[in-house]
Amino acid sequence: MEHYRKGEVVQVDVDLSILFGDIIRNDAVSMRIKNGSRVRNLIGFAVKRLKEDGTRQMTFSGTGLAVSKTITCAEIMKRKVKNLHQITKLFRKETEEYWEPIEEGLDRLKVTRSVPSICILLSKDLLDASQPGYQAPGIFDALWSDSVSHERRRKQPVKNHKRHFQDKQKVTHKNEDKSASSVKKNPQQPKSSKSQPGNEMVQKTKKKDEAKSKPFQKVGDMNESNGINAPS
């Protein structure tokens, strides 16, 4: 494609009456969502139009990367405006791209792409519940409330853990302050000389020297001192 430049892009629109049949009204408001659209601006306009007495139905359609944003807009609308019936349709939308030749002698190219798309119909009036993709009003309200409460319970232990950690730090600081104050009031006395290993060695050498300085005793004298009578 080095010798071509991208030209116009044509999207083949799908007739909504083919998707929804006789359910959709001719005066339904159509909202086309793009990837760069701002949700706040879309919702502000859609809420004003849907709250009008003459507006009974509204469609949100998106293609490619805008599919997720289309679903988001429809879910926000169901919370802004209560009692809305919904029908969701999935389909593939064809996009035609034209490439213009840069050099002479080349023909114009046409590239057809098939892109996944979604269209959501919101209606104040009752719709056919047998249609595929139908959702009654308030069918997911309990699910959303349960998910919100579960998220709050999941985050709560983290706060308690932080509080417990802070209380534990306070207790340790108090204990350190008490130990420091007790050391100031009652300073430690120096250890006695007996507990030192050098003094014990000195005492042992003194005992050995005293034993060497004593004169040797005779056997008889030793027996008498021990209370043993020598044989006659």
Side-chain angles (χ1 to χ4, degrees), residues 10 12 93-99 109-115:
V10 179
V12 181
K93 192 173 185 179
E94 291 187 356
T95 302
E96 297 178 354
E97 297 179 356
Y98 293 93
W99 294 80
L109 298 180
K110 176 183 175 182
V111 179
T112 303
R113 301 180 184 274
S114 181
V115 186

Side-chain angles (χ1 to χ4, degrees), residues 80 89 102 107 111 119 123 131-132 163 185 222 229 231:
K80 295 285 186 180
K89 296 293 183 179
I102 300 175
D107 297 332
V111 179
C119 187
S123 175
Q131 284 283 337
R163 187 179 299 173
K185 291 181 181 179
M222 292 176 65
N229 295 324

Side-chain angles (χ1 to χ4, degrees), residues 187-201:
Q188 294 181 357
Q189 295 180 358
K191 295 182 179 179
S192 60
S193 60
K194 292 183 180 180
S195 61
Q196 297 179 0
N199 294 333
E200 293 179 358
M201 295 295 294

Side-chain angles (χ1 to χ4, degrees), residues 61-73:
S61 58
T63 303
L65 299 176
V67 170
S68 59
K69 188 171 291 187
T70 304
I71 298 172
T72 301
C73 292

Side-chain angles (χ1 to χ4, degrees), residues 172-188:
T172 53
H173 289 314
K174 288 182 180 179
N175 294 334
E176 290 177 358
D177 295 338
K178 288 181 180 179
S179 61
S181 60
S182 62
V183 168
K184 291 180 180 179
K185 291 181 181 179
N186 300 322
Q188 294 181 357

Side-chain angles (χ1 to χ4, degrees), residues 2 31 33 56 59 68 76 87 101 104 108 115 122 127-128 133 141 147 151 161 170 173 183 189 192 195 216 219:
E2 297 177 356
M31 301 288 294
I33 313 301
R56 305 301 299 174
T59 60
S68 59
I76 295 175
I87 292 180
E104 296 181 359
R108 188 186 186 190
V115 186
L122 299 179
L127 299 176
D128 187 6
D141 290 346
S147 63
E151 186 70 17
H161 176 70
K170 291 180 181 179
H173 289 314
V183 168
Q189 295 180 358
S192 60
S195 61
F216 292 101
V219 178

